[in-house]
Amino acid sequence: MANSKEELTTSLEKPDVPATSKRFVPLENNPEVMSTLLHQLGMSKSIGFHDVYSIDDPELLAFVPRPAYALLLVFPVNERYEKFRTQEDSGKPEYNGSGPEEEVMWFKQTIGNACGLIGLLHGASNGSVKEFIEHDSDLEHLLQEATPLNPIERADLLYESKALEAAHQTAAQKGDTAAPSADDYVELHYVCFVKSLDNNLWEMDGRRIGPLKIGSLGPEEDVLSDRALELSVRSFLKREEQAGGGELRFSLVALAQSFE
């Protein structure tokens, strides 16, 4: 067991992002920041991120426009979660999907502190929200280039993208608090849940070995439907609590129609 913050940081980051890799300034978990980045990349301004204030109260859920296309769950990484993640991935073949026949487009994370960006890309790249990507935008070009590539090649594409890096840097400076250094250790991690065009619910995390299909949804059910929440966020939180972690600190934002 790690006996210092430095050792814990190493144990959490080593399997995923080498210490020598490029690092981004972490994004603040803020719908305005995430929406700014999304729009800079080329998503229509009619689409944006919204805070989700409850996963159980219908009145609070009603504040989010529907349908909700994607959820970004943000939570503190700990050794308990890392153990579960590595155990669940152990023995599974590494995902190697590519091409237009893929049900979902998955991005492997190889940039430090970029889990917010990877989560945003997963939300914008899958399901019916792709219809709102503006023509000839950086996002459209990025996804066109990424489609035929395997996960390692896609990761290299993101790593070398100047447009992606510039948009991320601009958005990272727009939070309510001072932006940390790119070299800082940030304990928060982003996981995205999306509904595919085939009506399946997927967990998308660039630090896993691939996308995880976690259930099926009806044609009229979105990622904030009761069934989707039961399969995704509620299941995640219940697992953490049963593992002895108590109540997990988390926040949640949804990708949906903008209020404007």
Side-chain angles (χ1 to χ4, degrees), residues 117-174:
L117 171 65
I118 299 298
L120 179 148
L121 288 175
H122 281 144
S125 305
N126 291 290
S128 57
V129 76
K130 290 191 295 183
E131 299 172 5
F132 297 93
I133 296 174
E134 295 179 341
H135 177 62
D136 204 31
S137 64
D138 289 332
L139 184 56
E140 182 184 63
H141 292 311
L142 182 73
L143 298 186
Q144 287 173 345
E145 290 184 64
T147 296
L149 304 179
N150 65 42
I152 298 299
E153 294 168 332
R154 282 180 188 167
D156 291 341
L157 176 69
L158 300 190
Y159 197 96
E160 300 297 336
S161 173
K162 301 301 182 186
L164 199 62
E165 186 169 357
H168 185 283
Q169 179 65 25
T170 299
Q173 304 302 321
K174 291 186 175 294

Side-chain angles (χ1 to χ4, degrees), residues 216-229:
S216 60
L217 300 175
E220 303 304 317
E221 292 179 306
D222 66 1
V223 294
L224 274 181
S225 67
D226 192 64
R227 174 166 172 76
L229 288 172

Side-chain angles (χ1 to χ4, degrees), residues 19-65:
T20 55
S21 290
K22 177 191 297 185
R23 301 180 68 83
F24 282 176
V25 174
L27 288 176
E28 183 175 300
N29 179 33
N30 177 317
E32 182 179 353
V33 171
M34 304 297 282
S35 295
T36 294
L37 176 54
L38 191 68
H39 299 152
Q40 283 185 307
L41 291 174
M43 181 65 76
S44 167
K45 291 188 177 180
S46 65
I47 300 293
F49 284 96
H50 305 267
D51 280 316
V52 178
Y53 296 108
S54 173
I55 56 173
D56 299 301
D57 188 330
E59 292 186 2
L60 293 177
L61 283 168
F63 283 106
V64 181

Side-chain angles (χ1 to χ4, degrees), residues 36 93 95 170 233 248-249:
T36 294
Y95 181 72
T170 299
V233 182
L248 183 70
R249 293 187 293 115

